[in-house]
Amino acid sequence: MPQATLKDLDKPLGRDNGRRPAASGRERLLRFGLVWGVAIGAVLLFGGHLLTGGLISRSALRPAATPVAAIPAVPAKADVPAATKPAPPSNAAPPASNRRPASDIEQQAGVAVVRPAGNVPGAIIISVPDGSEPGLAPAPDPRVTADTPAGPLPRIGDDGSRAAEVYARPTPPHAAMAPARIAVVVDGLGLSEAATRQAIETLPADVTLALAAAGVDLPQAAAAARQSGHEVLLSLPAEIPGGDLITAMARFAGYAGILTATSADRLGPLAQQAEQRGLLLMAAGRSDLLLPQTMPAEAVEQAFARAERLAQRNGRAIVVAEGSPSLLRQLARWTASLERRGVLLVPATSLIANSKG
């Protein structure tokens, strides 16, 4: 055992020549862990204020000011050679002044669009021609024609064919769905070549033309009318003797029915003859509106409006108009505009044959 000296006894307790004894590795690890443990505990206990309070800056958030870009100076306009000017895009919309009304485009394309009247939403009907328009089949058709000394007379064919069907203009396939239909018959044609030509050339093909039995060049007029797509009726006066009836019916071929001025209560003999020969029969007095050629223009316009109201209310209306030049001009404008107001123009035979439809 070593002996303690006086110098050793004079040394302060816990000191070794003024230096601390070096800590072992285990002690350093414990101290390091203790310091980090205290730090983590402080963060958890005080929400991080002790360690990060001095590092976090608290200030009100304000939206950044919108940067204002400097507006470059507009260079002087230089003339661009015509060859180097950029062409407008091919899909650019035409200017408003060059736009065409939808009605003009539809008429040129041959497409009929039937829209509901007014601004009430509803279905529209679009009729696309099937390529068979405007001409109708030539007449006479041997199936429904009997050659007699008086001329060609209608008859019911051996196969049951009837002139009312063979010579009628086909009804548009969508006609049954149209909310309102109007048929127009122009009477008294064939008496004036100019009026007959005007009616054939200016009226829509769905307008029915009635040729007077007392007219001139009726076979030629009937052929021209059918070639333009118009169906034809034979127009008879109120009084006609029985013998003259056969002569009148043999004036030309290709008519689907008879339009007569005879009153409804005196149609017996004529109705019997029409039935036997497969023809439709219509009394002008039983039409919804009758427009004489002497009717003033203003009254004609009022009658047109009344016909439209009838068609809208009842689903159909038949108008019979006498073929004067002024009335034909009004008819041409009116009938061409019906579809834009939700009214479908149909051949008269489609309404005569089905008086309830």
Side-chain angles (χ1 to χ4, degrees), residues 93-107:
S97 59
N98 295 337
R99 294 176 184 173
R100 299 167 55 196
S103 58
D104 293 348
I105 299 175
E106 294 165 8
Q107 184 175 3

Side-chain angles (χ1 to χ4, degrees), residues 21 24 28 34 39 44 96 121 159 222 229 231 237 244 257 269 288 300 351:
S24 65
R28 287 196 299 271
L34 179 62
L44 295 176
D159 58 355
E231 66 180 16
D244 293 342
D288 295 291
V300 170
L351 299 186

Side-chain angles (χ1 to χ4, degrees), residues 22 44 51 97 100 136 143 149 151 169 175 190 203 210 214-215 264-265 314 322 351:
L44 295 176
L51 296 179
S97 59
R100 299 167 55 196
L136 301 180
R143 295 175 299 167
R169 178 176 172 82
L203 295 178
D265 58 344
N314 302 328
E322 295 181 355
L351 299 186

Side-chain angles (χ1 to χ4, degrees), residues 20-237:
R20 292 181 180 179
S24 65
R26 181 177 180 183
E27 291 176 350
R28 287 196 299 271
L29 181 61
L30 291 174
R31 291 174 185 174
F32 182 79
L34 179 62
V35 172
W36 275 105
V38 172
I40 294 173
V43 171
L44 295 176
L45 182 62
F46 299 104
H49 295 291
L50 295 177
L51 296 179
T52 62
L55 300 178
I56 299 176
S57 175
R58 295 176 175 84
S59 61
L61 296 177
R62 297 181 179 86
T66 304
V68 179
I71 302 176
V74 179
K77 183 177 180 181
D79 293 335
V80 181
T84 61
K85 289 184 179 180
S90 59
N91 59 350
S97 59
N98 295 337
R99 294 176 184 173
R100 299 167 55 196
S103 58
D104 293 348
I105 299 175
E106 294 165 8
Q107 184 175 3
Q108 181 178 1
V111 176
V113 179
V114 182
R115 302 173 175 86
N119 296 324
V120 180
I124 64 173
I125 301 172
I126 302 177
S127 175
V128 180
D130 59 4
S132 61
E133 296 183 4
L136 301 180
D141 188 312
R143 295 175 299 167
V144 293
T145 303
D147 293 324
T148 70
L153 283 174
R155 73 180 185 95
I156 298 178
D158 297 335
D159 58 355
S161 301
R162 301 169 62 89
E165 301 165 354
V166 172
Y167 294 139
R169 178 176 172 82
T171 303
H174 58 273
M177 298 183 294
R181 294 166 291 166
I182 285 182
V184 176
V185 181
V186 179
D187 192 15
L189 298 177
L191 300 174
S192 165
E193 181 181 355
T196 303
R197 184 171 60 252
Q198 180 183 356
I200 293 173
E201 295 178 354
T202 65
L203 295 178
D206 283 312
V207 173
T208 302
L209 308 182
L211 301 179
V216 296
D217 297 328
L218 295 185
Q220 292 81 359
R226 289 185 57 79
Q227 187 175 3
S228 295
H230 298 278
E231 66 180 16
V232 177
L233 301 179
L234 171 65
S235 178
L236 296 178

Side-chain angles (χ1 to χ4, degrees), residues 256-260 267-268 270-272 274-275 279-283 352:
I258 296 174
L259 176 69
T260 179
L267 288 177
L270 186 57
Q272 182 179 5
E275 178 65 24
L279 297 168
L280 295 174
L281 178 62
M282 177 182 174
I352 301 172

Side-chain angles (χ1 to χ4, degrees), residues 8-9 75 122 131 141 168 201 206 212 254-255 260 262 296 304 318 347:
D8 294 332
L9 297 175
D141 188 312
E201 295 178 354
D206 283 312
Y255 55 92
T260 179
T262 305
F304 290 162
I318 299 178

